[in-house]
Amino acid sequence: MEKWQNPEVIAFWIAIVIVFIITLLFFVIRILHSGYKRMTEANLKENSIRLDHQKKLIETNLHAQEKERMRIAGDLHDSLIGKLVVIRMKSQIGAAVAELDGLMEESIAEARRISHDLTPPLLEYSKIQELIEDLLNPWKQKLKIIYYTDIRTDIDLPATSKIQLIRVVQELLVNILKHAKADTVYVHLRHTEKCLTLAVKDNGCGFDTSQLKKGLGLNNQELRMQYLNASHKVKSSPGKGTTTIIATII
């Protein structure tokens, strides 16, 4: 009998093979376990970062809502209520009907403006391009606004999406008026069957985007972008104005 045919030799090599396979499986399992553990830890860390970011955005939204309530309360108190008090006083001292009628007309216009700021009229039945145009009209008293559209579809946006886009434009105009030192604003709306793109550009002082810090306004815009499932980009440099581009898939 050949030596390799000896049962003891065969058993010995079988034992070696089994030990090798077990050792190999052990290391494979260890490597897989280690990889899974690292992947799990990375996912947990990413989820934690995402949750913290969402928490900050929610806090920002709450602050923005409170700020908006205070602004509306201020408008009601300082503007509308003030006008009504004047009307009451003039009525008590017997002011002319024509004068009272003029003051009432101003009060109605102010109430309409405040109501429009809260929710644009006929929101569900108006196209987004019409709503943005209505929003821009009062701003033309303070800025030269050039508004042009490229509408290639009859598809309408949900009312919730319309109001978010309008709020974005409002915030951009407020920022331009407060910080940009601009006198001209270009607003371009492009709406096709597949996507909607909105670009707002000013000729103001611009800024270094690498130094951009996320304040209340920018965080609030980011929250609106998430709600719209949209992406946005801010392009600017000192002395060359600022352009904000928003794009979303329909």
Side-chain angles (χ1 to χ4, degrees):
M1 179 183 295
E2 296 290 338
K3 185 177 180 180
W4 62 269
Q5 292 179 329
N6 189 316
E8 293 181 0
V9 174
I10 294 173
F12 173 78
W13 283 108
I14 290 175
I16 289 177
V17 171
I18 292 173
V19 170
F20 175 77
I21 292 173
I22 292 174
T23 305
L24 183 62
L25 286 174
F26 174 77
F27 281 108
V28 169
I29 292 171
R30 284 290 301 272
I31 292 170
L32 290 175
H33 179 266
S34 179
Y36 177 77
K37 184 178 179 181
R38 286 197 299 270
M39 184 176 66
T40 303
E41 290 175 350
N43 287 337
L44 288 173
K45 185 177 180 180
E46 183 180 351
N47 289 335
S48 177
I49 293 173
R50 187 182 295 113
L51 287 172
D52 288 342
H53 184 60
Q54 289 292 334
K55 182 180 178 181
K56 288 179 181 178
L57 289 178
I58 291 171
E59 290 175 353
T60 296
N61 188 39
L62 292 174
H63 285 306
Q65 290 180 9
E66 188 62 28
K67 185 178 179 181
E68 185 69 7
R69 290 190 190 98
M70 292 175 65
R71 184 188 68 78
I72 294 168
D75 281 350
L76 288 171
H77 182 271
D78 300 335
S79 183
L80 183 58
I81 294 177
K83 291 181 183 298
L84 293 174
V85 169
V86 170
I87 292 172
R88 182 183 180 186
M89 291 175 60
K90 287 186 174 292
S91 176
Q92 290 174 342
I93 62 176
V97 174
E99 183 180 3
L100 294 174
D101 187 62
L103 291 171
M104 283 296 297
E105 187 173 346
E106 290 179 8
S107 299
I108 292 170
E110 189 66 20
R112 186 179 293 114
R113 181 190 68 80
I114 295 171
S115 175
H116 189 281
D117 281 349
L118 286 170
T119 303
L122 301 176
L123 180 67
E124 294 184 0
Y125 306 102
S126 300
K127 298 292 186 181
I128 184 62
Q129 62 267 26
E130 298 168 351
L131 294 168
I132 291 178
E133 184 173 11
D134 289 342
L135 169 67
L136 295 176
N137 283 333
W139 287 87
K140 292 179 180 178
Q141 299 176 5
K142 302 175 182 179
L143 296 164
K144 179 182 178 182
I145 296 180
I146 300 171
Y147 177 50
Y148 52 103
T149 61
D150 181 10
I151 309 299
R152 304 186 184 188
T153 180
D154 293 328
I155 297 175
D156 199 13
L157 297 176
T160 50
S161 297
K162 292 177 187 176
I163 194 67
Q164 294 299 330
L165 280 168
I166 290 170
R167 294 293 182 246
V168 168
V169 176
Q170 282 180 326
E171 290 173 2
L172 289 173
L173 290 172
V174 169
N175 289 338
I176 289 170
L177 193 64
K178 289 174 62 176
H179 307 296
K181 300 178 182 178
D183 56 29
T184 304
V185 178
Y186 301 87
V187 180
H188 181 204
L189 176 70
R190 188 172 189 267
H191 189 192
T192 68
E193 291 184 358
K194 295 184 178 180
C195 70
L196 181 144
T197 306
L198 177 68
V200 179
K201 178 181 178 182
D202 67 65
N203 67 341
C205 58
F207 60 92
D208 183 358
T209 55
S210 65
Q211 303 298 319
L212 183 63
K213 295 182 179 180
K214 288 189 176 182
L216 180 64
L218 290 176
N219 280 333
N220 202 36
Q221 281 187 31
E222 184 174 345
L223 189 66
R224 296 190 192 282
M225 292 304 103
Q226 289 191 5
Y227 185 88
L228 291 166
N229 194 25
S231 58
H232 74 295
K233 184 176 183 180
V234 179
K235 299 193 296 184
S236 185
S237 58
K240 295 186 178 180
T242 301
T243 301
T244 302
I245 301 172
I246 299 162
T248 182
I249 304 297
I250 303 300

